[in-house]
Amino acid sequence: MEQDNPKMNRRSFVLSSLALPACQSTTGPREGSFWGPQIGHFSLYQGNRNGHVQKEVDVLIVGAGISGLSAAWRLARENPALRVEVLELAPFPGGTSASLQGDLGSYPLGAHYITIPSKEAFYMRQMLSDMGLCSLQKDKPPIYNPLNLCLAPEERVYAHERWQLGLWPQFGVLPEETKQYRAFREYCAQLKSTIGIDNKPVFSIPIAYSSQDPQYQRWKTISFYDWLLEEGYTTPKLHWWLEYATKDDYGTALQGCSAWAGLHYFCARRPYIAQSVDLGTHILTWESGNGALVQKLLQLMPWKIRYNAIVQSVDAQSGHVFFIEGKEQKTIRADHIILAIPSAVRANLLEQSWENLPQASPWIVAQIACKELPQSKSGCPYAWDNVLYGSESVGYIVNTHQRGNYGGPSTLSWYLPFYDVDLVKARKQAAKEDWWSIEDRILSEFSLSHRNATEAISRIDVNVWGHGTVRPEVGLHATPLLKNLQAPVSRVHFAHCDLSGISLFEESAWHGVRAAEAVLSQSNDNITSLL
């Protein structure tokens, strides 16, 4: 399906995103840009509720991130004849799953993989099947396209002056550290197969299918760090390995997320797959990261997206949505509205309370263009995911890894979460960064673990995500807050991953499908649920 926006390239996106001018390195012939979707703050200004209704539709979706696109996919699958409009603030779709096309190929702006869905996540398997990424068989596990499975080697870590396969170092590790690491892995293996008294798994993706068994609820009220100490997991190396996980998925330190969320990372992924013995990986990834899934969702929906649309106010009773497109104030009236946007933005549009809403960590993602891959120092060769032990960043992804080609030009995606427990402090830390400071960070990391990084890296493009990943803080999942935020208001339904308290593609998609099914159920009693 043809979309309204042209194929985005780096230059057109930078110019449309209030970027700083092209930056020039002080250490060599290297250029780049520093930008981010800061236009999101425009929606925090109240708009007027005046204006003639230009259009009436059955469903209006605000937001073309994964939740909004998933809602559109579900609506199109059930009834493509619906009159649907999709409004998106940015000049591109996908939110933190977006991707761009550069001179050296496509690359992700944020999220770069999903894991093979669990048995209860039928909606995800159906979506991936519609995309042509897996084959569904009645009453049998699905078969996935092997070209989308992460190629080996999948992960490596630079520790004790050498690259080592896997994220747990094999060299320079004390016996007690290995003992605690193995004990934790064994404990998580048991939890993966544990069923609560409500006949649900203790941990699930989506979290809506997780057990509410009372014996596991205390984990929601204490930090992951405190739980680890209680259970005797005390070694610094194990804490680093575990904090790498909480930083990677949540943008938090061990003290900044609940024990329930920390354990969820390790225990919720239970792939339902036909050929599990032969795969060697449970990760699905693409050169453009989750941007590949965004493009496939676009192909499955029959409606166009209206980009650069700044929604300023929503009247839940009348169904009027007031927004700015170009320089013109416009109004659409909808029978049903799906706000697939963060809770803070939705609160502003509906004039709701901002108190106790889920919070998100800021991130910086840098796209590193290389004339050739920098030469690794001693140890194993390049992997898809490459991590430095002890670094504040969570390392980098080789975007060309899936090509099976480890020579020549390439792009790397480097990720830096601001994970201080004090969110205000984390935001101030992120705000202090500029292109030159990020270049220094990247070159310092690469110089430690590679031989010729300064010569090999030709360009660095830096993207700031002010609200990158939801923080599953202590207590967030212990109250009815998230459930209450999901409740519709009049004709308005809500869909966003922060309603799960976890930033995963699967959670975003679940809320999009859930909201779409709520809309469909009000007009069609015969729909077949995917949830």
Side-chain angles (χ1 to χ4, degrees), residues 202-203 207 210 216 219-220 222 258-264 477 502:
V202 176
F203 296 102
I207 67 169
S210 297
Y216 308 112
W219 295 341
K220 299 177 180 179
I222 60 173
S258 70
W260 186 90
L263 289 167
H264 182 279
H477 291 93
I502 291 178

Side-chain angles (χ1 to χ4, degrees), residues 472-489:
E473 297 174 328
V474 175
L476 179 62
H477 291 93
T479 71
L481 171 66
L482 298 178
K483 189 70 174 178
N484 292 342
L485 287 173
Q486 297 175 32
V489 175

Side-chain angles (χ1 to χ4, degrees), residues 415-433:
Y415 296 84
L416 176 66
F418 292 86
Y419 56 94
D420 195 284
V421 175
D422 184 338
L423 184 56
V424 172
K425 184 177 179 182
R427 294 200 189 286
K428 289 181 178 179
Q429 291 171 340
K432 290 179 181 178
E433 300 289 347

Side-chain angles (χ1 to χ4, degrees), residues 235-273:
T235 66
K237 195 169 261 90
L238 178 63
H239 285 187
W240 170 84
W241 182 73
L242 295 170
E243 190 165 74
Y244 167 82
T246 61
K247 287 163 58 178
D248 188 44
D249 258 23
Y250 311 141
T252 69
L254 292 177
Q255 296 94 329
C257 74
S258 70
W260 186 90
L263 289 167
H264 182 279
Y265 179 97
F266 295 96
C267 303
R269 294 170 171 88
R270 293 172 288 100
Y272 181 59
I273 188 168

Side-chain angles (χ1 to χ4, degrees), residues 19 81 117 162 189 246 286 295 298 321 328 393 432 439 455 469 475:
R162 64 186 299 171
T246 61
W286 303 266
Q295 293 305 313
L298 291 176
V321 175
E328 186 179 352
S393 82
K432 290 179 181 178
E439 182 198 36
E455 297 79 14
T469 49

Side-chain angles (χ1 to χ4, degrees), residues 33-326:
S33 60
F34 187 90
W35 43 270
Q38 305 303 336
I39 52 176
H41 288 269
F42 290 156
S43 64
L44 299 182
Y45 294 98
Q46 282 289 340
N48 63 64
R49 289 177 176 246
N50 300 317
H52 173 70
V53 174
Q54 284 87 9
K55 197 170 188 179
E56 296 201 12
V57 298
D58 298 314
V59 185
L60 177 64
I61 300 173
V62 178
I66 298 306
S67 290
L69 295 177
S70 298
W73 165 74
R74 181 66 186 101
L75 293 172
R77 204 172 193 277
E78 186 70 27
N79 187 357
L82 285 169
R83 298 173 301 162
V84 176
E85 287 282 326
V86 183
L87 303 180
E88 169 55 45
L89 179 66
F92 61 92
T96 55
S97 288
S99 62
L100 291 181
Q101 183 73 30
D103 297 335
L104 301 179
S106 56
Y107 52 82
L109 291 180
H112 51 269
Y113 75 97
I114 63 172
T115 52
I116 292 174
S118 59
K119 188 172 184 178
E120 54 267 26
F122 176 71
Y123 70 101
M124 278 298 303
R125 296 198 300 279
Q126 188 63 68
M127 180 183 288
L128 294 174
S129 175
D130 287 359
M131 292 176 177
L133 301 179
C134 77
S135 174
L136 295 184
Q137 307 173 83
K138 186 176 181 180
D139 300 325
K140 293 183 179 179
I143 297 175
Y144 289 85
N145 185 338
L147 296 177
N148 304 135
L149 295 165
C150 187
L151 292 178
E154 187 174 301
E155 300 167 323
R156 66 174 184 167
V157 62
Y158 188 78
H160 303 288
E161 300 184 343
R162 64 186 299 171
W163 283 105
Q164 307 180 37
L165 282 177
L167 292 184
W168 178 259
Q170 303 299 311
F171 302 96
V173 182
L174 299 175
E176 178 60 22
E177 293 171 331
T178 300
K179 178 182 177 181
Q180 291 190 22
Y181 168 76
R182 290 176 176 171
F184 180 82
R185 293 292 299 267
E186 290 172 2
Y187 183 72
C188 290
Q190 295 175 5
L191 273 180
K192 277 188 177 183
S193 59
T194 302
I195 304 298
I197 59 173
D198 49 8
N199 203 34
K200 293 181 179 180
V202 176
F203 296 102
S204 177
I205 300 174
I207 67 169
Y209 297 136
S210 297
S211 175
Q212 297 301 309
D213 191 325
Q215 67 175 308
Y216 308 112
Q217 300 312 297
R218 177 179 172 270
W219 295 341
K220 299 177 180 179
T221 65
I222 60 173
S223 76
F224 195 22
Y225 179 77
D226 288 341
W227 180 87
L228 289 168
L229 296 184
E230 286 181 6
E231 298 296 323
Y233 300 114
T234 57
T235 66
K237 195 169 261 90
L238 178 63
H239 285 187
W240 170 84
W241 182 73
L242 295 170
E243 190 165 74
Y244 167 82
T246 61
K247 287 163 58 178
D248 188 44
D249 258 23
Y250 311 141
T252 69
L254 292 177
Q255 296 94 329
C257 74
S258 70
W260 186 90
L263 289 167
H264 182 279
Y265 179 97
F266 295 96
C267 303
R269 294 170 171 88
R270 293 172 288 100
Y272 181 59
I273 188 168
Q275 69 276 47
S276 58
V277 175
D278 303 322
L279 294 182
T281 181
H282 292 151
I283 287 177
L284 298 170
T285 189
W286 303 266
E287 184 172 345
S288 57
N290 289 1
L293 300 177
V294 171
Q295 293 305 313
K296 289 183 179 296
L297 282 171
L298 291 176
Q299 294 167 11
L300 293 171
M301 58 179 279
W303 309 294
K304 293 182 178 181
I305 298 173
R306 298 170 68 164
Y307 296 97
N308 300 302
I310 304 174
V311 177
Q312 293 188 297
S313 185
V314 174
D315 189 322
Q317 297 298 322
S318 68
H320 288 75
V321 175
F322 307 91
F323 63 102
I324 296 174
E325 193 170 33

